[in-house]
Amino acid sequence: MSLEALANKYGTPLYVYSADQILDRLGMFHEALEGRDHLVCYAVKANSSLAILKLLAEHGAGFDIVSGGELDRVLAAAPEAAGRVVFSGVGKTADEIDHALNVGILEFNVESEAELDLLSARAAKLKRKTRFALRVNPDVFAETHPYISTGLREHKFGIDIKRAAELYKRVKGNKWLEAHGISVHIGSQIRSADPFGAALGRVHKLVRQLRREGIELRSIDAGGGLGIDYHGGNSDPAARVRDYAVAINAALDGFEGRLLLEPGRFLVAQAGALVTRVLNVKQNGRKTFVITDAAMNDLIRPALYQAHHEIVPVMPRAGRARAVDIVGPVCESGDFFARDRKLAPVETGDLLALLDAGAYGMSQASNYNTRLRPAEVLVEGKRARLIKRRETIADLLATEIP
């Protein structure tokens, strides 16, 4: 599909996703884990588009959610997938727990002793027996951005792995709680398979200990976090998944239960691009600014994480590349996509594509400066369809009372 044609038809900024790419990535996990009982639970927070959720559900995926709203999205896209949902997150409310209990999700990933007590109370109140897994914190370091590292003791996530056995034993025999599994998630955008193997090795050791003490867990949730290459390198994603699977299988040797996985970014990031139009090219002394109609409210990752996205002209012009700052029109100095980035010549009206923007792009977008969030398009083979229309000012003001 021509990005230029899509931009002309649907306007800019515009998110464009490839369905084929998403399904190809899902298939990599199935191929690498062939022979092991597993369920890929897509991390909805990465990109919560109903069309993408429906696409994945139709191909057998489950879902990892972190809020009641994300559960509602899964139910709207694929109500039949409720039994393939795991509910993670450190701050589940009683209403969210009740909602998940009523629709019959697969399991709750419990992150504290207080949450376990709340889950027990709500299950008893509703008279619904429920499956749970303790999310343990294995104290494994994963080399990634500190904002997306989650596996150390000083992080807010999970339960100290040394206390987990005590909690499983404390609720053994509870009429409304079934100790179904154990969960771990050490962070996001992790490029090496070694930390995953180390974390799962510690988890498997605990599972064997619990079995000896009469507590049989039937699932291990390995979480997500497998990273991608944002710098346009020649890395082989299928090989990365194979390495990941080898590390996990080695750590779980002898475990015959079900393996749950929660990839998000790896499935959708490189399937998406944010297409934006150049508003003008501005010279300030020695500094050149390329000002686009997309801004930090559309894609906040560079401002929030200093994240790198490759940026390319949709229709390249001849000429020597030069260092520019690529920025948006929002009234913040942090409103940038790249600084001192070499870019081929561009002029007012040209289109740029910010690559690898399928994850944590639209899902983190906002209406800062009363800006309308982008439209979204899904490309399926040789066909493209609008999966979310562009917002209007009426949409933004509908909930407000002057």
Side-chain angles (χ1 to χ4, degrees):
M1 296 297 302
S2 161
L3 288 181
E4 185 177 31
L6 293 176
N8 290 336
K9 181 174 182 179
Y10 297 110
T12 56
L14 179 69
Y15 274 104
V16 183
Y17 311 113
S18 165
D20 291 346
Q21 166 82 286
I22 294 169
L23 295 180
D24 186 50
R25 290 295 176 92
L26 179 64
M28 290 177 188
F29 286 96
H30 292 322
E31 183 176 344
L33 292 164
E34 187 176 7
R36 179 178 285 281
D37 182 14
H38 69 278
L39 176 65
V40 176
C41 295
Y42 167 66
V44 174
K45 63 181 178 289
N47 186 320
S48 56
S49 160
L50 295 183
I52 289 175
L53 301 184
K54 183 177 181 181
L55 175 73
L56 288 165
E58 288 173 344
H59 288 81
F63 298 95
D64 166 51
I65 63 167
V66 293
S67 73
E70 288 188 349
L71 176 56
D72 286 330
R73 281 189 165 273
V74 171
L75 296 175
E80 74 284 356
R84 303 199 300 269
V85 170
V86 296
F87 196 163
S88 306
V90 299
K92 305 176 187 73
T93 67
D95 286 345
E96 288 175 323
I97 289 172
D98 288 356
H99 184 23
L101 286 169
N102 283 325
V103 301
I105 68 168
L106 175 60
E107 73 177 27
F108 290 83
N109 286 343
V110 172
E111 301 219 16
S112 69
E113 186 172 355
E115 183 189 327
L116 188 60
D117 291 339
L118 177 61
L119 178 60
S120 176
R122 301 316 302 170
K125 175 83 172 175
L126 297 176
K127 294 182 169 50
R128 291 184 178 272
K129 186 166 185 176
T130 187
R131 294 174 292 271
F132 79 91
L134 294 184
R135 175 177 172 178
V136 297
N137 193 321
D139 203 31
V140 168
F141 174 71
E143 189 173 341
T144 186
H145 192 284
Y147 287 6
I148 52 178
S149 177
T150 62
L152 298 176
R153 287 196 185 101
E154 56 263 34
H155 297 140
K156 69 179 181 180
F157 300 97
I159 295 165
D160 189 336
I161 195 168
K162 295 176 181 177
R163 289 205 60 234
E166 173 191 337
L167 293 183
Y168 278 112
K169 285 184 276 190
R170 183 167 73 77
V171 297
K172 185 180 180 183
N174 185 302
K175 181 179 179 181
W176 302 108
L177 295 181
E178 176 190 338
H180 181 258
I182 189 166
S183 169
V184 66
H185 178 68
I186 58 174
S188 186
Q189 187 51 12
I190 300 168
R191 304 289 300 281
S192 166
D194 294 340
F196 297 110
L200 268 295
R202 295 182 187 184
V203 167
H204 193 197
K205 181 180 179 181
L206 177 57
V207 169
R208 291 193 296 266
Q209 175 193 332
L210 290 168
R211 184 184 301 127
R212 291 192 296 269
E213 297 175 5
I215 299 172
E216 188 76 32
L217 300 181
R218 293 186 288 165
S219 72
I220 292 178
D221 187 335
L226 187 61
I228 66 162
D229 184 358
Y230 280 103
H231 288 78
N234 295 318
S235 64
D236 181 350
R240 182 163 292 166
V241 176
R242 287 193 296 270
D243 291 344
Y244 171 78
V246 167
I248 287 179
N249 280 329
L252 299 185
D253 186 36
F255 176 70
E256 296 182 355
R258 192 177 215 189
L259 172 66
L260 305 180
L261 308 165
E262 300 172 0
R265 181 196 316 268
F266 193 86
L267 294 184
V268 296
Q270 292 179 299
L274 175 59
V275 182
T276 180
R277 199 171 292 279
V278 175
L279 297 177
N280 59 71
V281 180
K282 176 180 177 180
Q283 197 76 31
N284 259 4
R286 296 182 179 179
K287 198 80 170 173
T288 301
F289 295 92
V290 174
I291 302 171
T292 68
D293 64 0
M296 65 185 288
N297 72 291
D298 304 308
L299 179 64
I300 200 172
R301 295 188 72 256
L304 185 62
Y305 300 129
Q306 296 77 51
H308 179 96
H309 286 267
E310 288 293 305
I311 303 173
V312 296
V314 171
M315 300 289 287
R317 295 178 179 273
R320 180 181 298 177
R322 58 176 174 167
V324 301
D325 284 12
I326 302 168
V327 302
V330 159
C331 292
E332 297 279 352
S333 296
D335 179 27
F336 66 90
F337 296 124
R339 286 176 167 154
D340 294 319
R341 180 79 62 85
K342 286 290 185 71
L343 183 71
V346 293
E347 297 179 7
T348 298
D350 287 0
L351 293 170
L352 298 177
L354 282 73
L355 304 183
D356 307 328
Y360 304 106
M362 191 63 176
S363 66
Q364 290 187 322
S366 76
N367 296 114
Y368 186 47
N369 283 189
T370 311
R371 287 174 50 84
L372 307 177
R373 288 181 297 174
E376 295 175 282
V377 169
L378 183 66
V379 176
E380 300 167 295
K382 296 183 178 181
R383 173 175 164 263
R385 64 184 177 97
L386 186 69
I387 59 173
K388 186 175 183 179
R389 65 168 173 80
R390 192 173 307 280
E391 287 177 326
T392 66
I393 288 294
D395 293 328
L396 268 61
L397 303 183
T399 60
E400 297 190 34
I401 303 169

